[in-house]
Amino acid sequence: MKSGLGTAEVNSAGGETSAIPLVSLRDVSLGYDSASAPVVQDVNLAIYAGRLIGLAGPNGSGKTTLFRTILGLLSPLRGEVFRNCLLSNFGYVPQSASLDPHFPLSVREIVEMGAYGRVRSYQVLPSEERKGAGEVLDKVGMRHLLAKSFFALSGGQKQRILIARALMVKPRIMILDEPLSGVDEESRRSITDLLVDLTRKNGLAVFFSSHDLQMVRTVADQIVRVDNGNVWVEEKKRGGQS
């Protein structure tokens, strides 16, 4: 895996862009064991700032494996991953947060976890970081829940709080694994609108996964599909069709 890419990148639809991608995968095969067949193979993908990318595929098709490779948690079996930003510039919302429901954590405490990478161990969180927690909660529309117990919230509220925690990292790229899974229809709409705003208004690259291909086609600028070990990219055409 490499950092830095000094030339213009050709995007997945074949058109040249002057912008340098934040992340680029070239002829990448993914998996957990080099002795076994790859989970996903021959991935060619570029991720640019200000783009909303949807990753669609059935359960077990390799969506999480692709995310873990981009995040540096897995090494590719073959090919190269280039990054033009630090791994600390990635905000990640996993499919299920590993938080102990018996440990009383407030919404503020959950969100402030996103700042821990900038704070020394056992250091009191600086006032500007505490202020930042309120600001990212404003972005997700959840400031009014600041003092509430995280585990008392609904599924949709929890998901927005986890997005706020990822925003607290001050990311350039957001990666969200099934952010719409297990939430009600109103929460699905509000979270989808939030992801669109993060790209349009904040200029972030947002890469999210879903098994709902129709929804992905509706909102994403670019659709990455994965199934049976293969990946292909659909670029949305003018008028919103892919």
Side-chain angles (χ1 to χ4, degrees):
M1 289 173 281
K2 299 182 179 181
S3 296
L5 190 63
T7 59
E9 177 71 31
V10 177
N11 68 24
S12 300
E16 189 175 31
T17 175
S18 58
I20 295 175
L22 296 174
V23 177
S24 179
L25 288 78
R26 295 182 179 174
D27 300 319
V28 170
S29 291
L30 316 173
Y32 296 86
D33 183 357
S34 59
S36 303
V39 176
V40 183
Q41 57 190 352
D42 300 326
V43 181
N44 288 280
L45 177 67
I47 301 174
Y48 295 89
R51 297 276 283 170
L52 180 59
I53 305 174
L55 176 62
N59 292 334
S61 59
K63 300 189 298 294
T64 299
T65 304
L66 176 56
F67 283 160
R68 287 174 61 84
T69 302
I70 291 172
L71 290 163
L73 301 174
L74 281 177
S75 296
L77 300 179
R78 183 173 65 83
E80 294 182 300
V81 179
F82 299 88
R83 299 186 187 86
N84 284 296
C85 61
L86 300 173
L87 286 173
S88 58
N89 293 140
F90 285 73
Y92 179 46
V93 180
Q95 188 169 357
S96 58
S98 55
L99 299 169
D100 186 349
H102 300 293
F103 192 75
L105 289 169
S106 69
V107 165
R108 174 185 284 281
E109 288 168 326
I110 293 290
V111 174
E112 288 177 350
M113 289 177 182
Y116 286 177
R118 298 187 294 272
V119 179
R120 294 177 183 174
S121 299
Y122 306 110
Q123 179 184 352
V124 175
L125 202 68
S127 59
E128 62 268 23
E129 297 286 8
R130 293 179 64 81
K131 179 181 177 183
E135 291 171 350
V136 296
L137 282 167
D138 279 336
K139 284 186 179 180
V140 302
M142 294 282 115
R143 183 188 275 265
H144 62 289
L145 298 177
L146 193 70
K148 294 286 187 180
S149 167
F150 175 77
F151 297 104
L153 305 182
S154 69
Q157 289 171 331
K158 286 179 179 176
Q159 195 70 314
R160 292 169 78 92
I161 298 307
L162 293 174
I163 292 172
R165 181 178 69 173
L167 287 171
M168 193 67 178
V169 174
K170 300 182 179 179
R172 296 178 66 188
I173 299 178
M174 290 276 288
I175 292 182
L176 305 97
D177 197 350
E178 298 278 1
L180 305 179
S181 178
V183 301
D184 59 51
E185 188 58 37
E186 182 179 353
S187 294
R188 284 171 63 88
R189 288 195 298 270
S190 62
I191 292 171
T192 299
D193 289 345
L194 173 60
L195 299 184
V196 172
D197 282 349
L198 290 175
T199 57
R200 304 293 184 269
K201 297 179 180 179
N202 297 87
L204 298 181
V206 175
F207 195 10
F208 75 98
S209 65
S210 175
H211 58 267
D212 185 347
L213 177 59
Q214 186 57 47
M215 183 278 297
V216 171
R217 281 180 167 156
T218 300
V219 303
D221 301 313
Q222 188 179 55
I223 301 96
V224 180
R225 298 182 61 183
V226 56
D227 196 10
N228 293 322
N230 299 309
V231 172
W232 62 102
V233 177
E234 300 175 6
E235 198 77 20
K236 185 174 288 187
K237 298 177 183 177
R238 194 175 302 231
Q241 299 297 316
S242 59

